[in-house]
């Protein structure tokens, strides 16, 4: 059978490969560069390994998370390629290199099963992604749709790596199957490095535990989103306008994740486009209209409000007890305190910040101590309080809403590390 037309058709489709983006700890700057570059090329974003042609790992996943990345790679169909990018400046070149490897893999495999594997190596530094063994299909991350894309993996055991259910009493004393399921640490639209270990009975979460990676050399800089305020706290001169732009972009980044998890991809893409405008040299006078138009569109969505209102309700007392001080606490003041309330708090914060983006006065006073997720001079980092709140909000929630609740808090694990360290940079490409 002449496969030439099939190969040509496959190669034509791969001119715009579907890209699955997974960010490692300390790689926010790289992730943002990847998310800026993909729309420019017209490359769509994949929601899981099953529909991905190219896996882009932003930053170094580290020893513990590399196994998860290897599992995702094993779950992707051929032809495929992957690239690990360690520096934002390398994103465009790394994507070009990975695309060439993908097309070469397509030629070598005839558009189907893999017969060749290519691994150009960046001089100077590699990644430990390829040092891990291939896993059986059952040992890789599990994938499915529950209204939103849900992807799991990391540390499963049982038959072919799949977790086995056990019997346990539920909250009503009925003895039912209980399944232990991990989420994280490098899912699309997921806090980088976060691992949730869930105990499920049916579709109800009975227990949730949070795991975070220990501080390591991957945290090469102060948390990207907190950087202006941390610099001001160190005595450096930072303008209020620069901090306002970063605050606006941080809220829009969180909003984009939540909208993507909610399944509103077009609005998520728009939120990220306006986020990128806030981070670049877009004139200050042009930024507020962009943010206001996005906010009006999101607030008008009846479907979004109905699907998120009443989910993950946080009371003001619980927020104060946990030490939450940012939008999560603000959302409790108007009586909402749920996923939709936190979304509205982000929108209001982004609108205020965009209006202050031209302020050239030095950042000082209380404003100099409050970053996107809360006060930076408190007894614990703002994201630590969000992580402490997460198990209680997930307890008793339906599994389909778990990712919406996580996205509405959007803890930044890089913010748990306050010290700067060295620098990491590297690119690895693999096709097959």
């Amino acid at each position: 059978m002449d496969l030439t037309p099939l190969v040509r058709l496959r190669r034509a489709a791969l001119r715009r490969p579907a890209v699955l983006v997974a960010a490692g700890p300390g790689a926010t700057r790289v992730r943002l560069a990847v998310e800026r570059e993909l729309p420019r090329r017209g490359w769509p974003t994949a929601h899981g390994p099953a529909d991905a042609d190219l896996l882009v790992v932003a930053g170094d996943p580290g020893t513990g998370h590399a196994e998860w990345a290897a599992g995702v790679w094993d779950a992707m169909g051929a032809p495929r390629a992957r690239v690990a990018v360690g520096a934002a400046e390398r994103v465009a070149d790394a994507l070009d290199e990975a695309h060439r490897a993908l097309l070469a893999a397509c030629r070598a495999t005839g558009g189907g099963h893999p017969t060749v594997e290519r691994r150009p190596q960046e001089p100077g530094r590699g990644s430990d992604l390829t040092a891990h063994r291939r896993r059986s299909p059952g040992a890789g991350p599990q994938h499915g749709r529950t209204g939103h894309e849900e992807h799991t993996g990391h540390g499963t055991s049982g038959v072919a790596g799949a977790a086995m259910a056990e019997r346990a009493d539920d909250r009503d004393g009925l003895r039912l199957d209980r399944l232990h399921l991990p989420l994280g640490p490098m899912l699309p639209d997921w806090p980088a490095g976060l691992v949730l270990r869930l105990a499920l009975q049916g579709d109800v979460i009975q227990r949730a535990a949070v795991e975070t990676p220990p501080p390591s050399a991957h945290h090469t800089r102060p948390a990207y989103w907190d950087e202006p305020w941390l610099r001001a706290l160190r005595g450096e001169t930072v303008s209020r306008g620069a901090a306002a732009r970063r605050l606006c972009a941080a809220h829009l980044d969180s909003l984009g994740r939540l909208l993507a998890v909610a399944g509103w991809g077009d609005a998520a893409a728009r939120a990220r486009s306006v986020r990128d405008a806030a981070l670049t040299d877009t004139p200050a006078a042009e930024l507020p209209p962009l943010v206001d138009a996005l906010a009006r569109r999101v607030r008008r969505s009846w479907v979004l409000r109905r699907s998120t209102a009443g989910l993950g309700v946080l009371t003001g007392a619980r927020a104060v007890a946990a030490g939450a001080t940012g939008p999560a606490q603000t959302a409790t003041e108007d009586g909402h305190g749920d996923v939709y309330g936190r979304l509205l708090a982000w929108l209001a914060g982004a609108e205020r910040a965009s209006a202050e983006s031209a302020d050239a006065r030095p950042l000082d006073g209380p404003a100099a101590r409050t970053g996107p997720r809360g006060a930076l001079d408190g007894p614990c980092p703002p994201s630590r309080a969000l992580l402490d709140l997460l198990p209680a909000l997930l307890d008793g929630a339906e599994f389909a809403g778990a990712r919406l609740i996580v996205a509405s808090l959007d803890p930044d694990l890089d913010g748990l590390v306050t010290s700067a360290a060295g620098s990491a940079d590297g690119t690895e490409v693999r096709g097959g």
Side-chain angles (χ1 to χ4, degrees):
M1 179 180 178
D2 183 10
L3 296 179
T4 303
L6 176 63
V7 174
R8 289 176 177 172
L9 182 62
R10 185 62 173 151
R11 281 178 56 82
L14 292 179
R15 289 174 183 169
R16 296 175 63 246
V19 180
L20 180 62
V21 181
T28 300
R29 196 182 301 269
V30 179
R31 174 178 64 82
L32 295 177
V34 173
E35 291 179 354
R36 272 196 302 272
E37 183 67 15
L38 295 184
R40 193 185 68 79
R41 295 169 179 250
W43 292 4
T45 301
H47 299 289
D51 62 341
D53 303 307
L54 180 61
L55 171 63
V56 176
V57 179
D60 191 332
T63 303
H65 299 162
E67 183 180 1
W68 181 93
V72 172
W73 170 251
D74 284 350
M76 292 172 58
R80 59 188 176 171
R82 74 176 181 184
V83 59
V85 190
E89 297 77 12
R90 285 280 302 150
V91 165
D93 292 341
L95 290 180
D96 287 340
E97 197 173 353
H99 194 207
R100 287 194 294 270
L102 179 62
L103 295 178
C106 182
R107 284 195 300 270
T109 63
H113 299 291
T115 57
V116 68
E117 192 168 84
R118 180 182 177 190
R119 181 187 169 190
Q121 183 71 43
E122 178 73 9
R125 182 183 177 277
S127 167
D128 59 356
L129 286 178
T130 57
H132 292 261
R133 61 180 172 82
R134 293 177 65 88
R135 305 169 68 193
S136 64
Q142 308 299 307
H143 308 281
R145 286 180 180 271
T146 56
H148 314 287
E149 292 287 345
E150 302 290 353
H151 312 283
T152 68
H154 195 73
T156 58
S157 61
V159 177
M164 297 290 291
E166 62 182 14
R167 303 279 286 181
D169 293 339
D170 72 354
R171 292 176 296 180
D172 298 324
L174 300 175
R175 196 156 187 81
L176 302 174
D177 286 346
R178 172 180 289 179
L179 181 65
H180 296 275
L181 194 64
L183 287 177
M186 296 173 63
L187 306 175
D189 303 307
W190 180 263
L194 174 64
V195 176
L196 278 182
R197 297 199 175 276
L198 306 178
L200 292 164
Q201 285 183 312
D203 63 346
V204 177
I205 298 172
Q206 300 292 348
R207 188 174 65 248
V210 171
E211 291 183 7
T212 59
S216 68
H218 302 130
H219 299 88
T220 58
R221 299 176 178 175
Y224 176 80
W225 294 121
D226 294 336
E227 195 172 12
W229 297 270
L230 294 176
R231 288 172 52 202
L233 288 172
R234 288 199 301 263
E236 297 182 30
T237 301
V238 179
S239 72
R240 289 175 179 260
R245 279 180 176 267
R246 189 66 63 93
L247 183 69
C248 177
H251 288 337
L252 295 177
D253 186 62
S254 298
L255 176 67
R257 282 186 173 186
L258 178 56
L259 295 175
V261 172
W264 196 4
D266 183 57
R270 184 57 185 163
R272 287 163 176 159
S273 175
V274 180
R275 173 202 66 190
D276 294 339
L279 290 173
T280 57
D281 54 357
T282 299
E286 298 180 10
L287 188 56
L290 296 176
V291 176
D292 292 345
L294 174 67
R296 285 196 301 272
R297 182 183 180 191
V298 173
R299 288 190 179 110
R300 281 200 303 263
S301 174
W302 178 84
V303 174
L304 181 66
R305 183 171 65 252
R306 285 293 301 270
S307 60
T308 56
L311 188 63
V313 176
L314 174 65
T315 65
R318 183 179 290 177
V320 171
T325 56
Q329 191 274 332
T330 303
T332 67
E333 297 175 350
D334 60 4
H336 288 293
D338 54 10
V339 169
Y340 189 68
R342 292 188 279 276
L343 177 150
L344 294 179
W346 285 335
L347 287 176
E351 288 175 309
R352 287 193 301 270
S354 66
E356 299 169 356
S357 59
D359 194 337
R361 293 176 297 168
L363 183 65
D364 55 13
R369 301 190 291 272
T370 305
R373 289 168 176 80
L376 296 170
D377 60 345
C380 67
S383 290
R384 180 75 265 167
L386 299 178
L387 291 171
D388 291 342
L389 288 167
L390 198 49
L393 295 185
L394 292 173
D395 186 16
E398 293 186 359
F399 182 64
R403 286 204 60 181
L404 283 171
I405 295 173
V406 174
S408 71
L409 292 178
D410 198 25
D412 180 11
L413 273 62
D414 294 346
L416 304 180
V417 181
T418 57
S419 62
S423 179
D425 184 10
T427 303
E428 177 194 57
V429 180
R430 177 175 173 179

